[in-house]
Amino acid sequence: MAEPRVEVRRSKRRTRTVTAYREGDTLIVLIPARLSKKEEAHWVQEMQRRLLRSETRRRSPARTSDAALLARCGELSALYFDGTCDPRSVRWVPPMRTRWASCTPVDRTIRVSERLREVPAWVLDYVLVHELAHLLVPGHGEDFWELARRYPRTDRAVGYLEGLSAAAGWGISAAD
């Protein structure tokens, strides 16, 4: 595996802190101008390690396959619905134009847009809980939202998805 591209930006105004973020496939490391080359090398390695750990923690294992997605739905059903939501199938599908996911209660199938493969695990979990709730209540009435809000990060995930959609210009509502 190739080493990621690293760009170090030194700043005279930055006196103590070291920060890093990804910009495309490049790791940007912001450091104080006074650091030596040895200290710079240490902080580049340290920030690569921290960023990798952070990104790994956010990744959901459910994104790896349809079977993993179905298994995650089983875990979420047990957590939030006492195991009563049992989809027959859950699968990744090509990006949908107007939705993040969809559920067909009649045949107990759930389809999840591949646009969600890169979102944090807690956002994907919200979408799955939302669709699982549709297995019990088809519409978006009060009874549905009472079930969907059992997931503690519902409001935060809805905000995340609305921001993602707005930034990308997709026009997808997180509440549908």
Side-chain angles (χ1 to χ4, degrees):
M1 188 165 142
E3 281 290 311
R5 201 168 142 241
V6 176
E7 181 180 322
V8 176
R9 296 181 185 169
R10 291 176 172 267
S11 169
K12 289 181 181 174
R13 290 188 306 179
R14 183 176 289 273
T15 58
R16 284 185 271 197
T17 61
V18 176
T19 314
Y21 62 91
R22 289 208 190 279
E23 195 172 87
D25 62 351
T26 302
L27 173 67
I28 308 296
V29 182
L30 308 173
I31 63 172
R34 64 173 174 72
L35 293 186
S36 69
K37 285 292 185 185
K38 184 177 178 182
E39 290 169 314
E40 175 185 313
H42 163 78
W43 280 109
V44 166
Q45 184 178 22
E46 176 65 13
M47 297 314 278
Q48 282 178 315
R49 186 187 65 74
R50 287 183 187 182
L51 205 55
L52 179 61
R53 188 178 69 211
S54 164
E55 290 169 347
T56 302
R57 227 186 350 233
R58 285 189 306 229
R59 280 208 141 72
S60 169
R63 72 184 75 240
T64 59
S65 68
D66 292 350
L69 205 55
L70 181 61
R72 184 63 183 152
C73 280
E75 294 167 2
L76 294 169
S77 176
L79 273 172
Y80 300 109
F81 304 108
D82 297 321
T84 59
C85 297
D86 185 29
R88 186 173 56 79
S89 75
V90 184
R91 61 189 173 95
W92 291 103
V93 296
M96 299 180 192
R97 287 186 349 179
T98 59
R99 300 170 183 217
W100 297 110
S102 66
C103 175
T104 307
V106 173
D107 65 6
R108 306 188 69 72
T109 60
I110 295 173
R111 289 156 307 287
V112 180
S113 174
E114 287 183 347
R115 286 184 171 142
L116 296 174
R117 280 194 189 262
E118 297 305 315
V119 300
W122 57 271
V123 175
L124 179 58
D125 281 354
Y126 158 72
V127 172
L128 296 175
V129 167
H130 181 110
E131 299 308 324
L132 289 169
H134 279 308
L135 293 175
L136 301 174
V137 178
H140 285 106
E142 282 183 41
D143 48 348
F144 166 80
W145 284 108
E146 188 176 314
L147 292 172
R149 289 193 186 284
R150 291 179 180 179
Y151 183 68
R153 291 179 157 183
T154 292
D155 292 334
R156 188 172 172 204
V158 167
Y160 182 99
L161 291 169
E162 287 176 352
L164 178 62
S165 176
W170 292 332
I172 300 172
S173 170
D176 293 341

